[in-house]
Amino acid sequence: MKKIVIQKGKEKSLQRFHPWVFSGAIARKDKGIEEGEVVEVCDAYDNFLAIGHYHTSSISVRIFSFVPVEPNFAFWKQRIQQAVDYRKSIYLFDNKETTLFRLVNGEGDGLPGLIADWYNGHLVLQFHSYGMYLMRDMFVQIFRELLGERLCSIYNKSATTLSDSNAFVPSNELLFGELDEEVRVLENGVPFIIDIPQGQKTGFFIDQRDNRKMVGDFCQDKKVLNLFCYTGGFSAYALRGGAELVHSVDISKRAIEQTDENMSLLGDVSKRHKSFAANVFDFIEEMPDNYYDVIVVDPPAFAKHHKVKEQGIKGYRNINRKAMEKLKSGGLLFTFSCSQAISKEDFQTIIFSAAALEHKNIRIVRSLQHALDHPVNIFHPEGSYLKGMALYVE
Ligand code: SAH
């Protein structure tokens, strides 16, 4: 194994089991290390620290072991088995009411750079590192062995997630079996149709499952607005929860078509739903005041990197101010940020300033985060990217 030597003093984060080595921490490296290659990381005195995949990016090594190991088939199979075992322990595996879940959550499952989402027999792999991508055939074999008859197909959807690595950009492709054009799933008994190849991310925002359930529990006889609705996840729960009406807004025409399709799966209550293919920032200016009892605000990441954090903060503040201004007094606001650069504390401060500027009394009903199948590695707090708050607004 070729070696990467860390600068003196920079080994601390690895001794605390943080799974990333940043390029600035490297003192020297062996010649000829290739993109995605497995490397050993040592301190300045040649003591072993960890093993990981090397990449020419700001995160130079993604660590997968802090003890010397042979990263062979058995090693990776065991890691994936552990990810499966965790989903079994939280009753998501083979669950009849919920047939989609995240099976592998990157660093959170000790598999940095690998996401695997399960859609009722169809597995979607998303590689975030070239090192993991190079092992795709082996992963196909492992998943086939572990999932057996349940598995209908494996699809690789990494064309956008690997595009900023120096390696070539792969195209999305079927790796195993046959993919149905429409994959039908249930989430807490609520039906959805997933378009895996064309949809955003791996097809659905699985991380919002628990929050959708909470929203659904507070919608009886209420007027609900779902902003940035994508394929209508929150809207479906609101309709199931007995909402008087539900309005869904997304800028993507395709997402709105899918929203309408998903609501029609609910039968009669879909008459209470209306969708709008519109820019939320225009929609919210024009909508009536004091009309909606519940508003969901789940925008795309406004601050993808630290460099644009200030701009992101402004975006979240503005949209939340508007939502607070327009919501009926005594209404509920469910608001989210999926920006990694915005911490939980940052987000609470943003909501604090929006409330102060709008002169609103706000009770925090609950702090929200991603669903249970998106575990966070205790040594890798960056894994907690989704922050949300349920607020009672007077
Ligand atoms: N709440 C959704 C996920 C939202 S993802 C769910 O539960 O599935 C963010 C969505 O915001 C995407 O669907 C994207 O198309 C949409 N979007 C991005 N910018 C927008 C804008 N300015 N106005 C409306 N929708 C927007």
Side-chain angles (χ1 to χ4, degrees):
M1 237 178 253
K2 295 202 180 97
K3 276 188 188 171
I4 302 255
V5 180
I6 299 291
Q7 288 178 25
K8 219 189 267 179
K10 296 278 186 188
E11 69 282 353
K12 295 256 166 20
S13 83
L14 287 172
Q15 285 164 344
R16 289 193 296 259
F17 307 113
H18 192 278
W20 292 347
V21 175
F22 289 99
S23 55
I26 295 178
R28 57 180 192 280
K29 53 180 197 268
D30 284 350
K31 278 210 184 77
I33 299 178
E34 289 185 12
E35 193 67 16
E37 192 170 328
V38 173
V39 292
E40 186 180 316
V41 181
C42 304
D43 70 9
Y45 304 101
D46 207 30
N47 296 309
F48 173 91
L49 289 170
I51 296 178
H53 287 123
Y54 174 80
H55 303 98
T56 43
S57 73
S58 67
I59 303 173
S60 291
V61 190
R62 288 173 184 256
I63 304 297
F64 52 75
S65 180
F66 291 93
V67 290
V69 284
E70 176 71 36
N72 54 18
F73 186 89
F75 169 82
W76 294 108
K77 187 173 175 186
Q78 190 195 17
R79 280 284 160 95
I80 294 183
Q81 178 69 60
Q82 286 163 342
V84 170
D85 290 346
Y86 169 64
R87 274 75 190 170
K88 283 185 179 163
S89 78
I90 56 168
Y91 307 118
L92 275 173
F93 204 80
D94 289 336
N95 181 320
K96 290 202 167 55
E97 289 289 290
T98 297
T99 59
L100 80 164
F101 59 91
R102 177 152 292 188
L103 186 54
V104 174
N105 190 41
E107 281 80 355
D109 283 300
L111 290 155
L114 177 65
I115 296 294
D117 286 343
W118 175 261
Y119 292 99
N120 199 13
H122 301 275
L123 194 66
V124 184
L125 303 185
Q126 199 165 63
F127 297 99
H128 291 258
S129 85
Y130 191 62
M132 283 292 187
Y133 174 73
L134 288 174
M135 298 190 294
R136 63 197 177 285
D137 293 340
M138 187 195 64
F139 285 128
V140 167
Q141 192 54 36
I142 291 174
F143 283 117
R144 287 183 65 181
E145 286 184 20
L146 293 180
L147 301 171
E149 290 293 298
R150 298 176 187 83
L151 186 64
C152 306
S153 78
I154 302 181
Y155 189 75
N156 166 27
K157 199 171 180 196
S158 312
T160 52
T161 55
L162 278 178
S163 57
D164 58 356
S165 88
N166 283 352
F168 85 105
V169 180
S171 44
N172 295 335
E173 57 176 346
L174 193 63
L175 298 175
F176 165 75
E178 274 179 50
L179 180 58
D180 301 340
E181 210 163 284
E182 294 191 332
V183 174
R184 286 177 179 251
V185 298
L186 288 177
E187 192 189 74
N188 292 312
V190 184
F192 293 98
I193 294 173
I194 312 290
D195 180 350
I196 289 173
Q198 306 301 326
Q200 297 183 33
K201 304 273 173 165
T202 62
F204 202 61
F205 290 83
I206 305 178
D207 51 357
Q208 288 286 22
R209 181 194 311 110
D210 300 350
N211 302 324
R212 288 190 191 113
K213 186 164 185 309
M214 185 177 180
V215 168
D217 289 343
F218 293 105
C219 285
Q220 182 81 49
D221 300 325
K222 291 185 182 162
K223 296 189 177 76
V224 180
L225 175 63
N226 181 8
L227 296 175
F228 307 96
C229 69
Y230 183 47
T231 56
F234 285 102
S235 308
Y237 280 71
L239 285 174
R240 271 281 168 97
E244 180 191 325
L245 66 82
V246 179
H247 290 166
S248 307
V249 186
D250 201 284
I251 204 161
S252 153
K253 285 207 174 72
R254 176 71 190 125
I256 288 297
E257 279 168 22
Q258 288 174 285
T259 298
D260 291 340
E261 198 178 11
N262 281 329
M263 296 316 115
S264 71
L265 300 176
L266 301 173
D268 227 27
V269 288
S270 67
K271 288 190 200 117
R272 301 185 192 163
H273 178 256
K274 202 168 169 201
S275 58
F276 302 84
N279 188 328
V280 160
F281 293 93
D282 300 334
F283 184 93
I284 204 162
E285 289 293 343
E286 286 157 23
M287 75 190 212
D289 291 345
N290 234 354
Y291 182 72
Y292 296 104
D293 305 284
V294 176
I295 300 183
V296 178
V297 179
D298 183 25
F302 287 158
K304 284 215 169 80
H305 315 283
H306 277 277
K307 282 181 206 142
V308 290
K309 185 171 166 181
E310 279 313 308
Q311 206 180 314
I313 288 176
K314 270 193 204 135
Y316 288 116
R317 194 169 53 223
N318 288 343
I319 191 79
N320 281 290
R321 278 188 71 174
K322 271 284 159 203
M324 287 173 191
E325 180 199 321
K326 296 276 182 159
L327 187 68
K328 205 185 263 182
S329 178
L332 289 170
L333 173 61
F334 293 87
T335 182
F336 300 92
S337 156
C338 59
S339 299
Q340 210 175 62
I342 307 274
S343 69
K344 191 177 170 197
E345 292 69 31
D346 291 335
F347 193 54
Q348 188 153 335
T349 307
I350 292 166
I351 299 304
F352 172 102
S353 18
L357 289 163
E358 289 301 317
H359 299 275
K360 293 285 183 187
N361 275 331
I362 288 200
R363 291 172 174 80
I364 299 176
V365 180
R366 185 171 290 172
S367 285
L368 305 170
Q369 57 180 16
H370 31 65
L372 302 181
D373 47 346
H374 291 59
V376 177
N377 172 349
I378 188 102
F379 305 116
H380 179 251
E382 294 87 339
S384 300
Y385 61 94
L386 183 66
K387 293 99 197 172
M389 295 175 94
L391 306 168
Y392 180 80
V393 183
E394 271 174 356

